[in-house]
Amino acid sequence: MTDSEAATKRAARTGPYHHGDLRNALVHAAAELAETGGPEAVTVRAAARHVGVTPTAAYRHFTNHEELLDAAQEQAQRTLFGAMAETMADLGPQAHPITRLGAVGRGYITFALREPGLFRTAFCGDQQTPSPAFELLAGVLDELVAVGFLDPADRPDAEYAAWSSVHGMASLIIDGVLDDLDDAGKDQAIRRTLAVIERGLATGPKAGDPRVS
């Protein structure tokens, strides 16, 4: 992709700046900067330049790098949630919760591979409240308990076990640790990670139900 094509793509995604909506435009610009350069690329001056306004105008909305990065992190979290929800939406309405869980994990990793800068930015700052993605995962785990796949005694904090496994696999791939594997090998590693998570959660009385697979 040429520099001109990249600029056109960024403009289409960010959208034109409209007077009175500068804060939102700066947040979108910060997300664009994070997508290509990671969280360290997000500065107020860079976002202002990206939007086409003066740094002085941008500083009226974000007094420092940390404020803008926090806003970019929130945007990245929403984008991550959207990727996970989109993958789940491809399933039929009668899909078993364990199938939905696999889709959540796959959507999480797909987002990381597609937009590694945004992925890193989503977790670069303090998170005082559960993210939408975390709450989505928690909801699916509750569904596993409801259908008897996961024993209620094993439900507390199960989010962290599943999350850390999927996040770790995504990080290994985007950080180049698995570069010795081709695309098929990486996909197989992802499948096995998701299968290990499934087996670890299969502690309920209906975990062996053949209709689950």
Side-chain angles (χ1 to χ4, degrees):
M1 180 182 294
T2 66
D3 291 343
S4 177
E5 290 171 335
T8 300
K9 178 183 177 183
R10 287 195 300 269
R13 291 183 57 180
T14 304
Y17 163 59
H18 298 287
H19 180 69
D21 195 27
L22 179 54
R23 188 183 191 282
N24 190 51
L26 290 169
V27 171
H28 281 280
E32 292 283 350
L33 291 167
E35 180 180 345
T36 56
E40 63 275 7
V42 179
T43 66
V44 177
R45 287 183 175 276
R49 184 166 56 249
H50 193 90
V51 172
V53 299
T54 65
T56 300
Y59 278 118
R60 295 193 185 104
H61 296 273
F62 298 101
T63 59
N64 53 45
H65 160 79
E66 288 75 16
E67 284 188 5
L68 180 58
L69 189 57
D70 285 346
Q73 181 191 21
E74 292 179 6
Q75 176 67 26
Q77 284 283 354
R78 287 193 294 269
T79 307
L80 170 59
F81 171 80
M84 296 165 66
E86 180 182 350
T87 305
M88 289 180 64
D90 291 336
L91 303 175
Q94 302 303 318
H96 191 279
I98 198 63
T99 303
R100 289 162 54 80
L101 180 68
V104 166
R106 178 66 70 168
Y108 189 100
I109 295 174
T110 297
F111 170 76
L113 303 186
R114 186 174 60 206
E115 303 183 272
L118 274 182
F119 177 74
R120 293 189 176 97
T121 302
F123 304 100
C124 67
D126 296 333
Q127 297 183 48
Q128 302 299 325
T129 58
S131 69
F134 187 85
E135 292 179 337
L136 178 61
L137 170 60
V140 176
L141 291 173
D142 289 340
E143 293 175 15
L144 291 178
V145 173
V147 299
F149 188 90
L150 174 62
D151 190 306
D154 296 320
R155 173 63 185 86
D157 296 331
E159 294 94 336
Y160 300 109
W163 181 17
S164 60
S165 297
V166 173
H167 186 87
M169 174 54 63
S171 297
L172 287 173
I173 296 176
I174 67 174
D175 288 342
V177 179
L178 302 185
D179 280 354
D180 58 323
L181 299 178
D182 59 15
D183 289 344
K186 292 174 183 176
D187 187 68
Q188 181 66 17
I190 293 170
R191 290 178 181 272
R192 287 176 175 169
T193 298
L194 297 176
V196 167
I197 294 171
E198 177 180 337
R199 288 197 297 272
L201 295 171
T203 60
K206 295 186 178 180
D209 190 334
R211 292 173 295 178
V212 171
S213 58

